[in-house]
Amino acid sequence: MDLAGEVSRVPGLTAGPIDADAVLGWRDYMVSGYDDSGQVGWIDSTGATFVRGTGRLAGPRTVEVSTPGGGTRTLRAEHAVVVATGSVPVIPPVPGLAEAEPWTNREVTGMKRVPDRLVVIGGGVVACEMAQAVRGLGASEVTMLVRGGGLLGRVEPFAGEMVAESLRERGVTILMGRNAERVERPEPGGEVTVHLDDGTTLVADEILVAAGRRATTADIGLETIGLDGSGPIRVDDSMRATAVPEGWLYAVGDANGRALLTHMGKYQARLCGDVIAARARGKQDDLPSMRDRADALGAPQVIFTDPQVCAVGRTEAQARADGINVRAVEYEIGNVSGAYLLGDGYKGRAKAVVDQDRRVLVGVTFVGPGTAELLHAATIAVTAGVTLDDLWHAVPSFPTVSEVWLRLLEAYGL
């Protein structure tokens, strides 16, 4: 994100140079210096037992933990084992790339200094967010290598186009359709040379790989219960592993591959905990039927670029591919009075994808500064299947950016 650009939009404030050291210091404060003792204290306060170490399944309802002191502890579950091992970045099989010690999302967000030159492999969320952030923190050269024809391929095309325009305005170079063929880093911590498929080369101080993620299931002992750990653990709407008929194994978050988003992993964990508790008491879980829609239809996402990209549900293309009779409408958010009050030159766009047969929203996208605060209303509408006829009576306040909801309804018509 261009922090100075964000400040300049606030009336009465002027943008100045970014103090990168202060920003990184604030980052360290916000993550408690990467010390998890506060979370450990929270776990202890719930009555749970915290065991630090590396855990692996060792048969049905059994987990073996290798503790930091070199010992082994065996845990046996009476009711359930929950896998919440997350995911790890994918490193493409480019010769020399792995040996060059590339940054991933972990290293770039935890960087101790801002590199002067950065090459980014990828055009997705992490690639866009971090390219903009590193450039905004003072890097002189940031170059993105994007295999496809656009950025943010899983959202509406206009969103990627607006982010690409913003990145270029801020001095980020985007090379569309370019691939790294070979990477060299002769000295640890030294310069990185990236050889491209068009015969040119890039030289940088660091290289960031943001080319997707895979579930961390390969070395957690799934083979001891007859499962393959080569991919996500498939689960039902209760987060119970479908391949374990006894019903004691659950998987939440990135480990099940349903929605690789922190807030969705937390939602799945809450749901999973309620299910396990109900079944432990010998009761059928009576959780709301909407749980089968939360991942498939209503997984919201905010991409923290400038402008922000916020989306929930299906894109227009996805909805059509799913056989839905859709009609999409768009509206320039800058034309709403509330957006004008935020500052001159507010630029943003909203798009609603409507199932014409049911007259409900199946997808909503907002792009613009601060649009993340509009997303939850869209998530409710999509997940709950609120009809357009009902939305007409959910009146937005004047003068706020949320009036864009009224404008979208007007654009669609009765």
Side-chain angles (χ1 to χ4, degrees):
M1 171 177 285
D2 183 348
L3 300 178
E6 286 297 298
V7 170
S8 67
R9 289 190 175 90
V10 181
L13 295 181
T14 57
I18 298 298
D19 184 338
D21 290 338
V23 172
L24 298 182
W26 179 253
R27 182 267 327 268
D28 291 342
Y29 170 76
M30 293 298 292
V31 297
S32 302
Y34 297 96
D35 179 357
D36 65 6
S37 57
Q39 293 300 305
V40 173
W42 169 78
I43 291 172
D44 291 339
S45 72
T46 67
T49 299
F50 175 80
V51 179
R52 189 179 294 279
T54 301
R56 299 183 79 254
L57 285 162
R61 292 187 172 86
T62 304
V63 175
E64 287 187 352
V65 184
S66 301
T67 59
T72 301
R73 182 171 176 177
T74 301
L75 306 174
R76 291 184 173 83
E78 182 176 352
H79 298 291
V81 173
V82 180
V83 176
T85 47
S87 61
V88 293
V90 172
I91 305 298
V94 176
L97 179 58
E99 293 76 14
E101 299 183 339
W103 279 2
T104 66
N105 64 298
R106 183 174 294 273
E107 287 78 21
V108 69
T109 56
M111 62 184 171
K112 300 300 182 183
R113 63 173 182 82
V114 179
D116 187 52
R117 300 165 298 176
L118 177 69
V119 170
V120 181
I121 296 179
V125 175
V126 171
C128 291
E129 289 180 340
M130 292 299 100
Q132 194 171 72
V134 172
R135 173 63 176 161
L137 287 170
S140 62
E141 296 178 14
V142 176
T143 304
M144 299 178 67
L145 304 179
V146 184
R147 292 181 59 185
L151 302 181
L152 303 174
R154 296 187 178 182
V155 296
E156 295 286 359
F158 78 83
E161 293 166 4
M162 291 179 70
V163 170
E165 179 184 359
S166 176
L167 286 166
R168 292 188 176 104
E169 287 176 351
R170 287 158 173 75
V172 175
T173 300
I174 305 173
L175 302 180
M176 295 291 188
R178 293 273 67 84
N179 295 315
E181 287 198 333
R182 181 164 52 92
V183 177
E184 297 174 338
R185 191 172 210 166
E187 299 293 333
E191 288 186 340
V192 181
T193 301
V194 184
H195 299 265
L196 306 185
D197 54 3
D198 63 355
T200 61
T201 60
L202 298 171
V203 179
D205 301 295
E206 297 291 349
I207 182 169
L208 167 63
V209 176
R213 304 183 69 81
R214 59 177 174 80
T216 309
T217 56
D219 190 29
I220 62 172
L222 288 174
E223 69 279 359
T224 68
I225 57 171
L227 298 186
D228 180 5
S230 62
I233 299 172
R234 300 304 176 188
V235 298
D236 62 17
D237 293 330
S238 299
M239 304 302 127
R240 183 169 53 179
T242 56
V244 181
E246 297 87 356
W248 58 268
L249 183 66
Y250 296 75
V252 301
D254 291 8
N256 66 34
R258 289 176 66 133
L260 277 65
L261 298 161
T262 299
H263 46 279
M264 296 309 295
K266 293 167 69 174
Y267 162 75
Q268 293 170 5
R270 294 193 300 270
L271 187 152
C272 175
D274 288 343
V275 169
I276 293 171
R279 291 173 178 167
R281 293 193 298 267
K283 299 180 179 180
Q284 290 292 322
D285 70 273
D286 55 356
L287 298 175
S289 60
M290 279 177 59
R291 67 185 178 189
D292 63 347
R293 288 186 262 163
D295 286 335
L297 299 183
Q301 181 177 21
V302 178
I303 301 171
F304 292 98
T305 47
D306 177 14
Q308 290 178 349
V309 176
C310 315
V312 62
R314 295 174 173 88
T315 64
E316 180 181 359
Q318 289 167 343
R320 294 189 186 281
D322 290 341
I324 300 173
N325 176 26
V326 300
R327 178 184 165 205
V329 293
E330 298 184 25
Y331 193 81
E332 295 296 325
I333 303 177
N335 292 336
V336 176
S337 297
Y340 179 77
L341 293 175
L342 292 179
D344 291 337
Y346 184 103
K347 186 176 181 181
R349 189 184 305 175
K351 181 173 182 176
V353 181
V354 180
D355 179 339
Q356 296 195 96
D357 296 334
R358 295 188 299 132
R359 289 182 61 80
V360 298
L361 295 169
V362 293
V364 181
T365 301
F366 300 112
V367 180
T371 52
E373 301 307 326
L374 294 172
L375 185 59
H376 192 56
T379 303
I380 293 171
V382 171
T383 306
V386 180
T387 67
L388 298 187
D389 303 287
D390 286 340
L391 284 174
W392 275 104
H393 303 287
V395 182
S397 299
F398 174 87
T400 66
V401 179
S402 61
E403 274 199 303
V404 70
W405 280 102
L406 177 58
R407 303 300 171 228
L408 287 170
L409 291 170
E410 290 173 341
Y412 187 86
L414 295 175

